[in-house]
Amino acid sequence: MGVIDFIGDNFVQIDAGECEKKLRDGNPRLLRSDERVVLAFKGRGGSGRDKHMLTTARVLIRDKRGITGKRIGYVSVPYASIAAFSVETAGSFDADSELTIHARGIGRVSMDFATGVDVVAVFRFLGYAVIQGKAAGERAAAGSSIVRDANDAQSAGGGAGMAGYLDVLGSNYAQVDGRDVESRLRSDPNILLQDERVDMAFKCGRDSVVLTSHRVLRIDVQGMSGKKVEYVTILWPHIKGYSIETSGNILDRDSELVLFFNLPDAENTAEGFPRNSRTRMKIDFRSGQVDLLAVQRYISDKLLGPDTVAPSQHGNTGGYGNAGTGGTLAASKAGGLFAFLGDDNRMIDPSQANHQFHTSQPILQQCENVELAFKGRRDMLLFTTKRVIFVNMQGFMGLGTKVEYISLPYSTVTAFSVRSAGSWADKDSELCLWLDFDDVFYPKRENDDDPPPPPIPRKSWLEIDFQKDKVDILVVHRYLSERVMRTNGHNMKPYTSNVSPNLLVPSPPGSMENLLDWIGENASAIDAEAVNHKFHEAGILQHDERVAFAFKTGRDSLYLTNKRFFMIDVQGFTGKRKEYMSVPWDHVRVWSVESAGNFDKDMELRLWFKGAWNNKIKQDLRKGKADIFALQNFISHFVIGQADGATALSNAQSYVPPPSGAASKLMGYLNDAHMKDATELTSSLRSSPALLQPDESIDAAFKCGRDLFIISTKRIIIIDKKGMTGKSVEYTSYPLSTARAFMIETEGHLLNGANIKVYTDDDDIEQELAKGQNDGVWLMHEMLSNKILKDPQKDIGAVATHLASLSVAAPAASQRQPLAAAPSYQPYQPSATAPAYQPQLSAPGYQPYQPSATAPAYHPQLSAPGYQPYQPQLSAPSYQPYQPSAAAPAYQSESSAPSYQPYQPYQPSDAASAYQPESSLPVSYPLASAPPEPFTFGVKRPAGVEPGNPIRVQHPKTGKMLVVTVPGGVPPGGVFNVTA
């Protein structure tokens, strides 16, 4: 122990087995019976009172408080709640190393280590414990990696001359050989998992960004000597969206990749900074050194699922749009100034956008279709079968070559609303999207005397403007309902299943006006059956969706269906502007109902849904017009109905009242948070009031004054009596599925009773207990452990045994050479005698993009020599895996599968033509079939349809249903020509 370690509260490694024995002897209910302590550390250089432990189920922190240390806090962070983690090795002058964990609910947890702790072993163990199952993300498809020809590969490494110097100054990354990076990350330091492979790797100076099959790994070499290195792991499922930006002109020569994620961190309200500093990572790429579209395809596969459909199976989708919008949509220069002066987004033909973004701008997966498309002055908005895509053309009037593509999977959208146009100057309608990551930013004030400006949501909440007469917002509403809400239990609509064309048919004229006229202006309850009929008639609800509750409050109204909370908000002085907001039940995190009081005659319903911007809804209900317990039970059924209703107590015992000594009575008078009979309370809350579900029971309950703190088998319930009379009572429910971490604190001296704290995605729940309730707090710990902790991981047993053997004699500070500073590291240079690695994949016929030396950008052409499109042949019998030559021995990874080869797609040599898949089907260019010859036919204007409105007609040759717009100047009954 050193003085510096004691003062700096640096942790040293101690024997894990001995630590576990002491924990079980002192607190038998702290660890689960099948839980083991793998790594243990003690603060103050080994002389402190606090301990940090890594078990097979959680990160466990023991914090002794007070002068005597009698009051002890135990914080439990399940591995399932960890979104990212990092270690920082010791430097030349800074001898401390550090571990940082970002966990949902609790935020950031840090620990400084003393000299001698092997932080790489800690990092490797967290990799095994945290990265498992879905935490590894989707397995990328075979065609997602980057391949360059020899010239590109040679230019990628050097970055010679002034260009390379500017790239280093600008932190621009170039691609390096993933095989070499994987080899180094398996040796010194050994941080990769056994079945983990490096798919892509990029290097800038001494720093690296590595995309593996299990995570995003950032390696940051610090200091002049480069001895201090930070290794950061971000799990794929916590990446919520991404964007790529192509390179521009000579003054803007780098391309960009931005990953949007939601890493929990300390909240920051300083001006000029984001509220959460861990919400995005930006990577600049050197011009011509990275195939940006290949990077985009790889990340698409990881977040959206592999591209499993062959290109030849892809077909254009029909749908709502303006016929005859030809040309390349996003890159079209037609219209020039008029396009720039155009107002907001208008709906266009999705089939043409589908063709464009599979061919000239191939950012879509082959199994992905464009179903709705919109175009503004120069930008585009696409709704595909898998995601929402924003295409932002940059430069003056969109004439520049720099284009940004922002992709947001539907799983990131937590709520949505459409807003109709108002009167007078408000002529545009809007679409609003609530997203599942905190991107809120606090801007700086312009002058010191000005008040602080309000925060801005950035990409936490998006608002898209539409042209009033060019977009049917009910079509957009129906479409998002189908894509965002669950259609089969708790499953989203399959990506391979297109949205029904019937949902994209324009709404009948006056649908919204007729519906609102029927609802009326009186503040009263509405018949749910009648509303259900009207909503289905107007096309607002899904075919299997039903309205259960309907209420009218002033000009607004709200509805509870079996799939969502739906609200109609009438805005503006005239009330012409109306917003239709939908919150799927799967995204509701907390809800509460409050009864009316003596002076407050209104009841209240509150909802908190998943999101970071305005994610709380409060609605007053007139007394006598609603049954708040019926509402509460209805919401509970759809939010926690599938949760396990079994008790969390391993040996549930009957209620034993605490001893009633003089000291207990005094402490109870000062703080009467005493444990109550759970069985009796369960019986009571099944009838008066009917709060619990049929398969739900109460495991523990504490009474504090007039209030109750309850933990049931499915949720935490807070019953809060308000006002002097206590007639107004609020019932708040927190599902246990949203509890991410928890803490218990034993009682101390004097008035310090025990304490319980549960960390959720929204508000933290904290309850103090009365003196003498230590048994109650350990009972709570047992319940929370069994409900929140996942089962200890069986697959890390060998690693745990190995690391436990290092507990006593931890190695000295490693002198390992970090990856980025390795002097022998050379960027990938494929030789002529060593053919590129050919992976053993499920799609042997796949040939990745091979850009020519003169055209590095991705522009596939039918006549491109050697180019072979992706043709997966899962059962091709003649496919032979790569057999390395004697000059290029096969790479041997540390894996239980001896034939495992890290992914590096096939690259033909100059003398060898591209691989031709053996198939009975002829190889053809599959990205888009040739469109049929246009045919002109006449259409009669129906009676009652005004010019500018869309109608559906059948193509006389193909029989396909088209949506066309009646042009101006055509009289009723007149005929106009359509070419399609």
Side-chain angles (χ1 to χ4, degrees), residues 469-613:
D469 299 326
K470 301 298 183 181
V471 175
D472 187 339
I473 62 172
L474 287 185
V475 168
V476 178
H477 177 272
R478 287 195 295 268
Y479 177 81
L480 284 175
S481 297
E482 197 76 5
R483 279 295 171 201
V484 175
M485 296 197 313
R486 272 50 177 170
T487 58
N488 180 19
H490 286 260
N491 298 320
M492 295 184 71
K493 187 177 184 67
Y495 292 141
T496 55
S497 174
N498 292 335
V499 169
S500 171
N502 295 331
L503 298 177
L504 307 182
V505 174
S507 305
S511 297
M512 290 189 296
E513 290 77 6
N514 296 336
L515 175 64
L516 294 172
D517 289 341
W518 175 82
I519 293 175
E521 296 294 337
N522 296 325
S524 60
I526 311 172
D527 181 35
E529 286 298 327
V531 170
N532 189 70
H533 175 73
K534 286 291 183 179
F535 275 17
H536 278 283
E537 193 177 71
I540 290 179
L541 301 181
Q542 293 178 297
H543 71 280
D544 57 346
E545 188 175 6
R546 297 293 181 268
V547 175
F549 296 92
F551 304 97
K552 184 76 172 62
T553 57
R555 300 192 302 176
D556 306 330
S557 54
L558 63 96
Y559 311 89
L560 279 70
T561 79
N562 58 329
K563 292 192 175 186
R564 64 179 129 184
F565 176 88
F566 182 63
M567 185 167 57
I568 300 178
D569 180 16
V570 180
Q571 304 172 359
F573 181 76
T574 62
K576 190 174 182 181
R577 187 177 184 84
K578 304 167 186 71
E579 181 176 10
Y580 303 81
M581 181 179 181
S582 294
V583 180
W585 291 125
D586 282 351
H587 294 310
V588 172
R589 291 292 176 260
V590 186
W591 68 97
S592 73
V593 293
E594 183 177 335
S595 61
N598 288 329
F599 302 101
D600 184 5
K601 298 298 184 181
D602 291 335
M603 300 179 292
E604 291 183 358
L605 170 65
R606 296 185 182 92
L607 293 177
W608 291 257
F609 61 90
K610 199 175 181 180
W613 182 260

Side-chain angles (χ1 to χ4, degrees), residues 519-804:
I519 293 175
E521 296 294 337
N522 296 325
S524 60
I526 311 172
D527 181 35
E529 286 298 327
V531 170
N532 189 70
H533 175 73
K534 286 291 183 179
F535 275 17
H536 278 283
E537 193 177 71
I540 290 179
L541 301 181
Q542 293 178 297
H543 71 280
D544 57 346
E545 188 175 6
R546 297 293 181 268
V547 175
F549 296 92
F551 304 97
K552 184 76 172 62
T553 57
R555 300 192 302 176
D556 306 330
S557 54
L558 63 96
Y559 311 89
L560 279 70
T561 79
N562 58 329
K563 292 192 175 186
R564 64 179 129 184
F565 176 88
F566 182 63
M567 185 167 57
I568 300 178
D569 180 16
V570 180
Q571 304 172 359
F573 181 76
T574 62
K576 190 174 182 181
R577 187 177 184 84
K578 304 167 186 71
E579 181 176 10
Y580 303 81
M581 181 179 181
S582 294
V583 180
W585 291 125
D586 282 351
H587 294 310
V588 172
R589 291 292 176 260
V590 186
W591 68 97
S592 73
V593 293
E594 183 177 335
S595 61
N598 288 329
F599 302 101
D600 184 5
K601 298 298 184 181
D602 291 335
M603 300 179 292
E604 291 183 358
L605 170 65
R606 296 185 182 92
L607 293 177
W608 291 257
F609 61 90
K610 199 175 181 180
W613 182 260
N614 292 341
N615 63 329
K616 297 180 181 179
I617 299 174
K618 176 184 175 183
Q619 185 63 58
D620 292 334
L621 302 173
R622 180 166 295 183
K623 183 178 180 180
K625 299 297 183 181
D627 183 348
I628 61 170
F629 294 108
L631 290 175
Q632 191 280 146
N633 287 327
F634 181 82
I635 298 173
S636 300
H637 173 76
F638 289 102
V639 178
I640 61 173
Q642 301 297 321
D644 182 14
T647 180
L649 299 177
S650 57
N651 52 349
Q653 300 177 357
S654 60
Y655 170 72
V656 178
S660 56
S664 298
K665 290 182 179 180
L666 174 60
M667 295 302 106
Y669 174 78
L670 297 175
N671 182 359
D672 64 340
H674 286 291
M675 192 171 182
K676 297 299 178 183
D677 188 350
T679 304
E680 180 182 346
L681 193 56
T682 298
S683 176
S684 174
L685 292 182
R686 290 195 187 281
S687 56
S688 57
L691 194 66
L692 301 179
Q693 293 187 291
D695 61 339
E696 183 182 13
S697 59
I698 295 175
D699 278 345
F702 296 87
K703 187 175 185 297
C704 182
R706 302 184 301 176
D707 305 331
L708 277 173
F709 175 84
I710 300 171
I711 294 188
S712 79
T713 55
K714 295 188 175 186
R715 54 181 157 170
I716 297 175
I717 304 174
I718 307 295
I719 301 179
D720 180 16
K721 288 189 175 182
K722 299 181 177 182
M724 296 181 61
T725 63
K727 188 176 181 181
S728 179
V729 184
E730 183 178 14
Y731 303 85
T732 306
S733 296
Y734 299 84
L736 287 174
S737 60
T738 64
R740 305 306 179 188
F742 59 94
M743 180 201 71
I744 65 163
E745 190 175 67
T746 61
E747 64 182 28
H749 294 287
L750 300 178
L751 303 180
N752 293 325
N755 191 42
I756 304 164
K757 189 171 185 178
V758 179
Y759 302 90
T760 72
D761 289 327
D762 295 281
D763 299 328
D764 297 336
I765 312 165
E766 189 168 7
Q767 178 63 56
E768 295 182 1
L769 305 183
K771 194 75 171 178
Q773 297 290 311
N774 251 358
D775 287 343
V777 80
W778 284 112
L779 181 72
M780 298 287 288
H781 181 273
E782 180 183 349
M783 289 186 298
L784 293 173
S785 296
N786 291 334
K787 282 294 185 181
I788 298 177
L789 294 181
K790 301 296 182 183
D791 291 335
Q793 301 309 312
K794 309 301 181 185
D795 56 344
I796 62 175
V799 180
T801 303
H802 171 67
L803 293 178

Side-chain angles (χ1 to χ4, degrees), residues 134-149:
K134 279 296 184 181
E138 298 285 355
R139 181 173 294 274
S144 300
S145 195
I146 298 175
V147 176
R148 296 187 300 269
D149 61 22

